[in-house]
Amino acid sequence: MTDPRVFSIGMRLSKVRRIIAVTGWKGGIGKSSIACALALALAKAGLKTGLLDADFTGASCHVILGARRSFPKEIEGLEPPLVAGVKFMSASFFSGGRAVALRGEEITQSLLEIFCVTQWRELDYLIIDLPPGISDASLDIIRLVPRAEMLVVTTPSVLAEETLRRSLKLFRAMRIPVAGTVMNMADRNGRAVGDKPLDRVPFDSGYEKTLGNPRALAASKLFKAVARLAAKLDAGMVRN
Amino acid sequence: MHEWALVDAVASAAETAAEQEKLKKVDAVVVVLGELQNVDRAAARRLFAELRKTKKKALHRARLEIRAEKAVFRCRACGKTFGLRDLNKLSHKESEAVHFLPEMAHVYTECPACASRDFEIARGRGIYVREIRGER
Ligand SMILES: Nc1ncnc2c1ncn2[C@@H]1O[C@H](COP(=O)(O)OP(=O)(O)OP(=O)(O)O)[C@@H](O)[C@H]1O
Ligand SMILES: [Mg+2]
Ligand SMILES: [Zn+2]
């Protein structure tokens, strides 16, 4: 018995130049916010960009981008709709606003299915928003898409920094490429962390009001910081 | 069509298997279609006839044999085993969603005995390759 889907992932991603997976081992530290802003910033810089929300049980990107009205087209699989210039794919298209209760194996199945049927075609960047921690979806991305580079989000807290250190150590041991680390909700004194500190993203009291409106998001303080980070990423300053 | 990507994956899997098994000519690719994903058989056959041409020569005359598999769910909370027919009827939109992503069954249905969403799709989820026959 062979699962045919694993044979198609390479083909589906063959025209994607770089894949960045936004990770972080704490919940609620801004992974999804940064993933969305990053995708938006890269698209605004004229780069062909895709965004995959790989957090099936806690999907957020569709809310941040206000993608409630779009739906993939059926062309040789599923063609992700363009949302604010970004090719966007999420299980939220199929769950109709309901709770998605899935176990590990079911998350793996869902991820395989989405990779098999999604036609990203030619992209400069595919951004993947991961759920918190190093579990099902993250391990599957590492297994199925080994060239995905981790962009590790942290916050100015001893708790976040401790998990950050552990995560970087594991990534190094597993030879997983790391694009860099980002300190989110950083105050002025927030130190840079990790061996490849990319940038700091300040706490933005106006960010909440931009949710669901990519235009407002693009004018936010959070976005400006992430756009700087996107430029650094794209300049290859932190490439492995 | 969404089936295109699945059948293309089957053809690629068959191509790789033929290479590994050193088959000069593949006669048949036997796939199992799970009831839950509800892939159209005729469409799958048509697509395979097209897509095999885009793969290595060994595959160019291969036939797609389709076996159907009924969906079987097993509740993790109470142990009940049930099938698609035992579920509350899905709307068109809901069955479309399950067609695209079978795990969405967990979103739109529940165990008929205890209403839990924590059930396992034991059989009949999606498409897989059971056998590849050919000549060395
Ligand atoms: N730089 C920031 N300034 C202000 N608020 C922020 C900032 N970054 C994130 N937030 C807020 O923090 C909360 C968590 O953000 P987000 O959902 O992006 O985190 P996450 O790490 O993806 O969460 P999860 O672990 O659940 O996936 C949200 O309410 C968001 O609006
Ligand atoms: Mg998130
Ligand atoms: Zn039950």
Side-chain angles (χ1 to χ4, degrees):
Chain A
M1 259 169 32
T2 307
D3 188 332
R5 295 171 299 173
V6 289
F7 293 90
S8 64
I9 296 177
M11 292 189 293
R12 300 288 175 267
L13 296 176
S14 65
K15 290 180 193 151
V16 179
R17 185 159 63 87
R18 245 179 121 178
I19 302 172
I20 310 279
V22 181
T23 183
W25 290 10
K26 280 279 169 198
I29 56 176
K31 297 178 293 295
S32 301
S33 301
I34 287 179
C36 290
L38 178 61
L40 214 59
L42 290 165
K44 275 189 177 295
L47 295 155
K48 287 201 192 92
T49 307
L51 173 66
L52 169 66
D53 192 336
D55 188 353
F56 300 132
T57 59
S60 303
C61 296
H62 64 296
V63 181
I64 298 172
L65 295 178
R68 284 175 203 279
R69 291 199 171 179
S70 28
F71 196 81
K73 271 207 199 86
E74 272 195 86
I75 309 169
E76 298 186 346
L78 293 180
E79 190 95 24
L82 264 188
V83 177
V86 173
K87 282 189 184 179
F88 178 54
M89 187 52 115
S90 166
S92 65
F93 289 134
F94 312 115
S95 58
R98 299 205 202 181
V100 180
L102 298 178
R103 284 177 181 259
E105 171 59 21
E106 293 147 8
I107 290 173
T108 298
Q109 289 290 335
S110 306
L111 206 59
L112 267 171
E113 195 71 32
I114 284 193
F115 270 119
C116 176
V117 300
T118 306
Q119 288 288 3
W120 296 105
R121 305 193 192 277
E122 205 172 297
L123 285 184
D124 292 304
Y125 282 90
L126 173 61
I127 309 300
I128 302 177
D129 181 27
L130 290 174
I134 179 83
S135 190
D136 313 299
S138 307
L139 288 171
D140 281 327
I141 294 290
I142 289 167
R143 174 172 66 98
L144 300 168
V145 193
R147 71 183 167 107
E149 302 166 60
M150 298 292 151
L151 178 62
V152 195
V153 179
T154 184
T155 54
S157 155
V158 174
L159 288 175
E161 281 187 34
E162 213 277 322
T163 53
L164 172 77
R165 242 172 242 120
R166 268 187 280 148
S167 66
L168 291 176
K169 223 170 160 178
L170 180 85
F171 293 149
R172 199 174 306 125
M174 288 177 74
R175 297 201 176 80
I176 295 157
V178 173
T181 55
V182 196
M183 164 88 78
N184 187 27
M185 308 191 209
D187 49 30
R188 228 174 278 273
N189 314 315
R191 309 171 275 139
V193 282
D195 25 353
K196 292 177 189 166
L198 262 183
D199 227 326
R200 292 176 304 152
V201 175
F203 183 86
D204 179 358
S205 55
Y207 171 60
E208 183 70 24
K209 283 210 199 74
T210 74
L211 294 178
N213 182 348
R215 238 193 239 158
L217 171 58
S220 70
K221 219 161 86 178
L222 180 144
F223 180 85
K224 288 200 179 91
V226 175
R228 244 189 351 253
L229 188 155
K232 283 192 194 175
L233 255 184
D234 190 48
M237 279 174 62
V238 287
R239 202 104 200 236
N240 273 39
Chain B
M1 204 170 189
H2 159 250
E3 274 85 353
W4 187 97
L6 296 170
V7 175
D8 182 52
V10 167
S12 297
E15 184 181 44
T16 306
E19 251 165 59
Q20 280 166 357
E21 302 288 317
K22 300 194 169 64
L23 299 181
K24 281 209 192 70
K25 180 170 162 276
V26 176
D27 297 321
V29 179
V30 185
V31 294
V32 175
L33 294 187
E35 181 187 22
L36 194 56
Q37 193 163 43
N38 193 24
V39 165
D40 187 86
R41 283 165 164 247
R45 256 193 225 98
R46 217 168 37 238
L47 285 164
F48 186 79
E50 282 304 311
L51 283 162
R52 65 184 180 183
K53 295 180 205 153
T54 68
K55 310 293 171 191
K56 296 229 165 68
K57 213 171 156 218
L59 217 67
H60 287 192
R61 310 196 61 165
R63 182 172 76 249
L64 187 69
E65 279 182 25
I66 297 174
R67 309 267 186 276
E69 189 176 81
K70 284 265 177 217
V72 177
F73 305 94
R74 194 176 299 117
C75 179
R76 292 191 182 102
C78 75
K80 178 161 176 78
T81 301
F82 51 101
L84 256 189
R85 261 188 318 156
D86 301 323
L87 298 175
N88 43 348
K89 232 179 154 16
L90 297 179
S91 72
H92 175 70
K93 228 184 142 194
E94 292 165 356
S95 44
E96 272 292 292
V98 173
H99 166 63
F100 289 134
L101 196 53
E103 277 61 44
M104 291 296 116
H106 293 272
V107 171
Y108 298 111
T109 61
E110 56 192 34
C111 168
C114 77
S116 173
R117 300 285 167 104
D118 189 10
F119 53 80
E120 174 197 351
I121 305 174
R123 285 168 63 86
R125 178 202 174 276
I127 194 165
Y128 63 88
V129 180
R130 175 172 285 170
E131 193 190 343
I132 289 164
R133 288 197 302 265
E135 292 152 34
R136 274 177 209 260

